[in-house]
Amino acid sequence: MPTAAVVPPLRRGLVLGAGGAVGGAWALGVLRSLADVGSWDAAASEVIVGTSAGSVLAALIGSRVDPEVMVQTLIGVARAPGAVEVGPADVPDGVQRVLSHLPRPVPLPGNLRLAARALAQPCRGSVRTAAAALSPRGRGDLTPVGTLVAELCGDPGWPTSPRTWLVALDFDSGRRVAFGAAGQPGASVAQAVMASCSVPGLFSPVTIGNRRYVDGAVVSVTNADLLVAEQLDEVVVVAPMAMQGDDPRRSAVARFDRRLRQRMTQRCRWEAARLAASGTSVRVFAPTGEDLAAMGTNPFDASRLGPVFETAVRTTTSLLTSEDDRGARRDVTGAA
């Protein structure tokens, strides 16, 4: 009797994009729905790429922190059976202060030399790099975020299963850095998260060794193209700063936010196309109009974390269920 062929497991990747605390809450809602409805385990990924708020989630997933602990600690919502609901005030105080009471920046450019270099060598992303370098010198301190990550992750060393890459920008050279990837600078997980979250104009650059680093979203809000060389079978991209469908918000600030999101969505699609061209099936999740209404325009509004999380669970579940009803593939195909 012939022996059945052994099918190797799919090699999967996960990309968690930038979006502030509110975007992180939305991303957690998407991951919860993927786990509950799609039977998709984020921790079973071969490699995770995290940028800015996504770096926090990537670090915790890579360190095998319980998903329920992540939801309750980062958002202030307890959803385990019999758990007592908590509110935004229960999110760690230090993190709340970082998000809610940012000091005014120093009205001087962060790095004129880097801005001049970026503008003198036009390429994809050079304008964003120059804009970041010209942003005023932020004075926010991300130490409470690093402390929280260190406490939740414990001290297991750098996550290797899944491999975890946390993206930042070298604020002196303008080079994109993926902490945790082969050949990249060394750092602790907490240091890398703080570097990846250091939004120019809001937070001070994070010094690691003798280099300064800022938010990896300066390069891209997802940095999914880092996975092209990995030749993975499937990649899920969770992109809080992209969008799909109509945006019901109508204020002037919302219109500006929408224009930014449209540009970020274009970049996200370009990265997804690069992955698809390499033979990888790609699925991009981005906020719907209902999600955007829940998210508002302030990415650090702690009062929105719980509602945004619950909305993302609902909209993603609806999407996955409707696809299943139509007989569509529920793995990781398609794009936003």
Side-chain angles (χ1 to χ4, degrees):
M1 183 174 181
T3 303
V6 177
V7 179
L10 292 175
R11 300 177 59 233
R12 288 176 164 151
L14 172 63
V15 175
L16 298 168
V22 171
W26 178 83
L28 265 179
V30 172
L31 293 177
R32 172 59 63 88
S33 179
L34 282 170
D36 290 349
V37 180
S39 300
W40 198 89
D41 181 8
S45 305
E46 181 172 320
V47 57
I48 302 177
V49 176
T51 301
S52 200
S55 74
V56 178
L57 303 184
L60 301 186
I61 294 169
S63 298
R64 303 284 178 159
V65 175
D66 184 272
E68 189 61 39
V69 172
M70 286 192 278
V71 171
Q72 186 165 356
T73 304
L74 298 179
I75 300 176
V77 175
R79 302 182 82 246
V84 177
E85 291 292 332
V86 294
D90 295 282
V91 177
D93 289 343
V95 175
Q96 282 273 38
R97 287 193 296 272
V98 165
L99 301 180
S100 303
H101 304 290
L102 287 170
R104 291 181 180 274
V106 177
L108 294 171
N111 190 337
L112 281 173
R113 183 176 298 178
L114 176 60
R117 185 185 305 123
L119 293 174
Q121 300 174 342
C123 62
R124 180 179 289 272
S126 61
V127 173
R128 290 190 298 273
T129 299
L134 290 172
S135 296
R137 298 177 183 178
R139 296 192 297 124
D141 181 8
L142 286 162
T143 299
V145 174
T147 299
L148 177 64
V149 169
E151 289 175 351
L152 290 175
C153 293
D155 189 23
W158 195 274
T160 57
S161 180
R163 289 181 286 143
T164 303
W165 300 352
L166 309 181
V167 186
L169 178 83
D170 185 318
F171 202 49
D172 296 305
S173 69
R175 183 173 70 91
R176 178 169 62 176
V177 171
F179 290 106
Q184 298 295 294
S188 71
V189 173
Q191 286 175 323
V193 166
M194 289 189 292
S196 186
C197 291
S198 185
V199 181
L202 298 181
F203 299 102
S204 302
V206 173
T207 300
I208 302 175
N210 61 351
R211 310 294 295 183
R212 298 182 300 161
Y213 297 94
V214 297
D215 194 338
V218 171
V219 181
S220 163
V221 294
T222 49
N223 291 292
D225 55 312
L226 286 172
L227 293 179
V228 169
E230 294 297 302
Q231 298 289 296
L232 299 169
D233 296 310
E234 301 175 340
V235 169
V236 165
V237 180
V238 181
M241 289 302 296
M243 61 181 291
Q244 58 177 318
D246 296 328
D247 181 357
R249 303 171 303 169
R250 293 292 178 263
S251 70
V253 176
R255 290 196 296 272
F256 177 74
D257 181 69
R258 181 162 56 249
R259 287 194 291 271
L260 287 178
R261 287 179 177 275
Q262 288 168 343
R263 294 183 65 86
M264 294 169 184
T265 301
Q266 290 175 349
R267 167 78 188 205
C268 188
R269 286 174 172 162
W270 175 80
E271 293 175 5
R274 287 197 64 195
L275 280 168
S278 72
T280 299
S281 293
V282 187
R283 178 64 188 268
V284 179
F285 289 89
T288 65
E290 185 179 352
D291 292 309
L292 292 174
M295 294 168 82
T297 56
N298 179 2
F300 301 115
D301 185 351
S303 69
R304 292 182 178 267
L305 302 185
V308 166
F309 171 81
E310 298 291 356
T311 301
V313 172
R314 183 173 61 255
T315 58
T316 307
T317 297
S318 176
L319 173 65
L320 295 173
T321 302
S322 64
E323 287 180 348
D324 193 42
D325 289 343
R326 294 196 304 268
R329 291 179 62 185
R330 282 177 53 184
D331 55 10
V332 283
T333 57

